[in-house]
Amino acid sequence: MTTLEDCRALDAQDPLRSLRDQFTLPDGVIYLDGNSLGVLPKAAPARIAQVVAEEWGQGLIRSWNTASWFDLPQRLGDKVARLIGAAPGEVVCTDSTSVNLYKVLFAALSQQKDSGRKLVISERSNFPTDLYIAESLCRERGFTLKLIEANELQGPGSVLTDEVAVLMLTHVNYRTGAMHDMKATTAAAHAAGALTVWDLAHSAGAVPVALNESNADYAIGCGYKYLNGGPGAPAFVWVHTRHAGKFEQPLSGWWGHAAPFEFTPHYRPAPGVGRYLCGTQPIIALAGLECGLDTVLAAEAFDGGKGGMAALRAKSLALTDLFIALVEERCAGQGLSLVTPREHARRGSQVCLSRSEGAYAIVQALIARGVIGDYRAGDSQMPDILRFGFTPLYLGFEDVWNSVEHLVQVLEAGEWQREEFNRKNAVT
Ligand SMILES: *Cc1c(COP(=O)(O)O)cnc(C)c1O
């Protein structure tokens, strides 16, 4: 049996403990929702105020040059690159995940347009926006979106046939926390002649990602989850250098032009991933994102300057292992089942539990106690889910203990059955 004292001892030995000081966290809150909206970096309010008051207020139009506004998407992209196994110059921070997916999927489909391949494959359990974007793009471009279960990718009956143009997957599933083997899956897709589009929304800043080593083709990801960039922060795009300069994305705005300030009447794409920019960038939001990226990169001090993800991953796995063990020890017989894979190689940085009844209300009762996780509705394949994201930057082992203690109390006293916890809010 693990005890509260054991958890405190783990915190005392935790080399990453000081990273928590980078954040402003509300008192009395254990935040297990960094996978939906990362917390506020302490540096962000002052930095954003400076961009507003000085760079905008005083510098005005000059700040495009004097404050380096113009380079922000690339400069921040280089920081993201360190976290996802990409090289400098291969990533830009811009637009939303949904919009970036539209751009890269369009480019991938253009690449396959003369191949005779007509299928785009994705998982039925993928995040809806990815499926919606793919659905409309397929309709527009004459492809068919085929939805599968993860286990249909492997083995002799694999759906990866010579009809597949693009395999579009989210690396870590938003609902279950299950993680794909990016390298093996990409290799299987390539062997079948398909291109890969990876969504890193629940991976960037959460788990080590090795895009180049995996030989992936296209990737996009989110700035406001584990990257702590703030609500609606710009997302990012990575394109393998073998494709980046060759294929055009459809939103050919002037920021993706090779020479935007020539103001020529015809589009000429920038040489590399810069062409995935569209219009004028949200400078204030990018400044917030940079503060978030710096909180993650601060972990580099603990792995010899290699991006910090190895150090963060070790702690993330220790936190999620502890949570699983404590839930199984202390909530046995309470109807909870573990949805997230136990195997480290298949687990992201979250733990999902399912329960046939009361998942929503249990999450609400926990939130009322200051333990903020979230709820995701089930479907015909899967019951309702209680989702807990573990961010090693600001969570400790005692936090894990306390969140399970609250869960025990909510379940044992039937607290979740109170009417107030069973009313649905607009945003779950
Ligand atoms: C969070 C998330 C998104 C978010 O897309 P937005 O354009 O920011 O709304 C997209 N895809 C996945 C897989 C996500 O988890």
Side-chain angles (χ1 to χ4, degrees):
M1 277 285 207
T2 308
T3 64
L4 173 57
E5 283 62 43
D6 296 333
C7 295
R8 287 182 174 149
L10 288 170
D11 280 332
Q13 296 156 15
D14 171 16
L16 303 184
R17 188 146 181 75
S18 63
L19 292 173
R20 182 187 174 95
D21 300 339
Q22 301 183 96
F23 300 98
T24 303
L25 283 154
D27 288 337
V29 163
I30 300 174
Y31 194 65
L32 306 181
D33 219 353
N35 50 318
S36 259
L37 176 63
V39 302
L40 174 67
K42 261 185 202 156
R47 174 68 188 128
I48 290 168
Q50 183 193 28
V51 172
V52 172
E54 291 173 28
E55 298 183 7
W56 178 15
Q58 300 300 313
L60 290 169
I61 193 80
R62 295 167 290 193
S63 288
W64 285 106
N65 295 311
T66 56
S68 300
W69 284 356
F70 194 70
D71 307 328
L72 268 180
Q74 283 86 357
R75 200 158 59 71
L76 270 53
D78 288 351
K79 292 193 177 191
V80 171
R82 301 183 67 79
L83 304 172
I84 58 174
E90 293 181 357
V91 180
V92 285
C93 290
T94 187
D95 296 333
S96 65
T97 308
S98 304
V99 171
N100 289 335
L101 177 62
Y102 184 85
K103 293 185 280 194
V104 300
L105 184 56
F106 185 106
L109 294 180
S110 304
Q111 243 182 290
Q112 292 283 33
K113 74 175 185 306
D114 299 323
S115 68
R117 296 164 174 267
K118 287 292 170 206
L119 289 182
V120 173
I121 301 262
S122 195
E123 271 181 89
R124 186 175 304 281
S125 64
N126 200 347
F127 190 76
T129 202
D130 297 46
L131 300 181
Y132 302 160
I133 294 281
E135 200 172 52
S136 69
L137 246 179
C138 284
R139 197 182 321 119
E140 233 173 279
R141 309 290 294 167
F143 289 81
T144 302
L145 178 62
K146 178 172 172 170
L147 301 184
I148 58 148
E149 309 302 324
N151 61 12
E152 294 178 74
L153 287 168
Q154 287 112 26
S158 167
V159 291
L160 292 171
T161 64
D162 60 6
E163 289 174 282
V164 181
V166 174
L167 175 63
M168 178 189 91
L169 293 174
T170 296
H171 181 222
V172 175
N173 187 282
Y174 81 104
R175 209 157 44 168
T176 63
M179 180 163 72
H180 286 285
D181 179 336
M182 182 182 283
K183 196 171 181 177
T185 308
T186 300
H190 287 175
L195 294 164
T196 53
V197 172
W198 289 100
D199 188 328
L200 305 179
H202 291 273
S203 311
V207 298
V209 178
L211 285 171
N212 277 320
E213 194 197 313
S214 301
N215 201 22
D217 298 289
Y218 294 89
I220 45 140
C222 185
Y224 55 77
K225 292 174 179 162
Y226 289 96
L227 299 180
N228 305 316
F236 64 86
V237 184
W238 170 87
V239 180
H240 195 284
T241 48
R242 69 176 167 268
H243 309 310
K246 281 200 212 145
F247 298 95
E248 291 192 19
Q249 58 96 353
L251 305 178
S252 48
W254 72 304
W255 271 61
H257 193 279
F261 290 95
E262 283 177 10
F263 296 104
T264 56
H266 296 295
Y267 184 71
R268 200 172 81 243
V273 76
R275 69 183 53 192
Y276 285 81
L277 299 175
C278 180
T280 308
Q281 301 298 307
I283 299 303
I284 301 168
L286 284 166
L289 174 61
E290 183 161 30
C291 295
L293 290 172
D294 288 343
T295 63
V296 185
L297 288 167
E300 283 195 314
F302 302 91
D303 71 359
K306 296 201 192 79
M309 286 314 303
L312 290 171
R313 176 63 168 168
K315 181 171 169 190
S316 157
L317 286 171
L319 291 170
T320 51
D321 277 344
L322 175 65
F323 183 78
I324 292 169
L326 286 174
V327 167
E328 289 183 340
E329 271 172 34
R330 306 194 58 212
C331 304
Q334 293 287 357
L336 295 171
S337 327
L338 179 68
V339 173
T340 305
R342 247 173 243 279
E343 201 186 321
H344 285 177
R346 295 189 52 230
R347 187 193 310 164
S349 198
Q350 69 188 55
V351 177
C352 300
L353 306 171
S354 69
R355 196 171 194 272
S356 58
E357 191 196 4
Y360 177 80
I362 294 165
V363 169
Q364 296 313 306
L366 285 171
I367 292 173
R369 287 166 165 268
V371 180
I372 304 183
D374 63 23
Y375 156 86
R376 287 293 174 261
D379 54 30
S380 57
Q381 326 269 328
M382 194 183 288
D384 292 347
I385 276 179
L386 301 86
R387 190 171 71 150
F388 303 101
F390 290 86
T391 309
L393 284 172
Y394 48 80
L395 289 171
F397 297 91
E398 187 173 347
D399 294 320
V400 175
W401 173 274
N402 287 333
S403 47
V404 175
E405 174 63 30
H406 282 292
L407 181 60
V408 168
Q409 291 180 20
V410 163
L411 288 167
E412 283 183 353
E415 186 175 302
W416 61 274
Q417 286 164 327
R418 299 215 307 246
E419 197 269 330
E420 64 194 279
F421 299 135
N422 286 274
R423 255 181 267 131
K424 290 248 164 103
N425 295 317
V427 175
T428 60

